[in-house]
Amino acid sequence: MLRSDGQYRWMISSASPRFTSDDQFEGFIGSSVEIHNERLLREQAINQQERLEQFYEKTPVKMHSIDAEGTIISVSDDWLSHFGYTREEVIGRKRTDFMSPASRQLAEERLKTFLKEGSCENLSYQFLTKSGEEREVKLSAIAEKDIDGNFKKSIAVLEDVTDTKKSLRRLKQTQKVFDQSGEAIFWLTPEGRIIYVNEQACRSLEYTCEELLGKSIWEIDAKFSKQRWSEIDWAQEFQESNFLRSV
């Protein structure tokens, strides 16, 4: 409504019709209550919520939120891009729809615990991309609750560890081959510190593996000094050597 000072104010109005004794309509009798400040606060809250949703969607982290039934209610752009879906393909569906069969059952069991405890950290799952590829994921989440303490939604962050796990598996396979080798094998850091030796190396030098680990190469090989080690062009050494190998 327009006030006398020219400002428009938000009001709530109610009215009842008025009739004469012979049922002729005369007009309305009503009242109005100003709700201008309350309306402004509500609009500010809506705008703030919209900004938070935009921030959530645009943040460069794989995030999703679910309700108490496990239904996805929001998801970040990074999540969508990583797994190859559109927002329309994800919102309103169960998060388990995007998991491998083994992870689905596990997720259902863990949801009950999460609703009680309100948080979880580094839970392992296999998520499926749109093309069907399985990705190893670590999931951490917290619960958002309303003013009465009731569960409202989760805020979950996902970390794709597929490549890391593949590298670890290759490393373990390599180490297994080295452990069984009849040749003495050492792994050294660029600073010349021993971080792995196989059993043959220990037998050849008559040390225990525990004694060798952490030593510097010049402590067991008189041909090397700390200064000489730092001066070696290892790229050239690997090219020319018949026994040095990079793994």
Side-chain angles (χ1 to χ4, degrees):
M1 297 182 72
L2 182 63
R3 289 196 321 192
S4 60
D5 61 3
Q7 291 187 7
Y8 283 95
R9 309 292 288 182
W10 285 100
M11 312 286 287
I12 289 182
S13 299
S14 59
S16 299
R18 185 174 180 179
F19 299 92
T20 64
S21 57
D22 58 351
D23 292 331
Q24 295 296 314
F25 176 72
E26 286 189 319
F28 290 97
I29 296 177
S31 62
S32 296
V33 177
E34 183 177 318
I35 59 165
H36 190 75
N37 292 335
E38 291 83 352
R39 175 68 183 231
L40 292 180
L41 289 173
R42 182 170 176 270
E43 289 180 350
Q44 289 174 3
I46 293 174
N47 291 336
Q48 183 178 16
Q49 181 65 28
E50 290 176 349
R51 288 195 296 270
L52 287 174
E53 290 176 359
Q54 290 177 357
F55 175 79
Y56 182 102
E57 291 179 359
K58 299 302 180 184
T59 188
V61 178
K62 287 170 279 297
M63 300 173 66
H64 70 232
S65 292
I66 60 172
D67 62 16
E69 303 301 320
T71 301
I72 297 177
I73 57 177
S74 57
V75 64
S76 68
D77 291 349
D78 193 62
W79 192 105
L80 296 170
S81 175
H82 189 76
F83 295 112
Y85 298 95
T86 65
R87 184 164 277 102
E88 292 73 22
E89 292 172 323
V90 174
I91 299 299
R93 292 177 61 183
K94 298 286 188 181
R95 63 168 179 163
T96 49
D97 291 348
F98 305 97
M99 293 180 176
S100 68
S103 289
R104 289 171 193 166
Q105 182 177 355
L106 190 59
E108 293 291 352
E109 295 171 356
R110 287 172 170 173
L111 179 58
K112 300 175 184 177
T113 302
F114 174 74
L115 293 175
K116 292 179 181 179
E117 298 182 355
S119 66
C120 62
E121 187 173 358
N122 290 329
L123 302 182
S124 295
Y125 294 109
Q126 290 83 42
F127 271 69
L128 301 175
T129 67
K130 189 173 182 177
S131 64
E133 179 187 1
E134 284 192 7
R135 303 296 296 181
E136 299 281 345
V137 166
K138 292 286 187 182
L139 183 148
S140 300
I142 58 172
E144 182 178 318
K145 299 182 179 181
D146 60 24
I147 58 175
D148 297 320
N150 300 313
F151 180 84
K152 187 177 179 182
K153 67 178 181 179
S154 75
I155 300 175
V157 175
L158 286 67
E159 179 187 5
D160 191 324
V161 296
T162 306
D163 295 338
T164 301
K165 285 196 171 185
K166 286 181 179 178
S167 296
L168 287 174
R169 284 194 290 268
R170 286 196 296 268
L171 183 60
K172 287 180 180 179
Q173 291 169 355
T174 302
Q175 183 174 341
K176 184 177 180 180
V177 172
F178 287 175
D179 286 340
Q180 298 171 352
S181 174
E183 298 181 2
I185 297 175
F186 300 80
W187 286 358
L188 306 174
T189 68
E191 295 77 25
R193 185 169 57 86
I194 300 171
I195 57 173
Y196 167 82
V197 289
N198 67 355
E199 290 292 338
Q200 183 58 41
C202 296
R203 287 192 293 268
S204 299
L205 297 175
E206 297 183 347
Y207 282 97
T208 66
C209 293
E210 290 75 16
E211 289 172 331
L212 283 175
L213 292 177
K215 284 184 178 293
S216 298
I217 188 65
W218 48 86
E219 295 181 72
I220 62 172
D221 192 335
K223 293 186 298 181
F224 285 105
S225 66
K226 186 175 183 179
Q227 180 178 353
R228 180 169 180 246
W229 179 270
S230 64
E231 293 173 349
I232 293 176
D233 183 348
W234 286 109
Q236 182 178 351
E237 287 289 330
F238 280 120
Q239 290 178 354
E240 297 178 355
S241 175
N242 292 321
F243 64 92
L244 288 176
R245 296 291 184 271
S246 176
V247 295

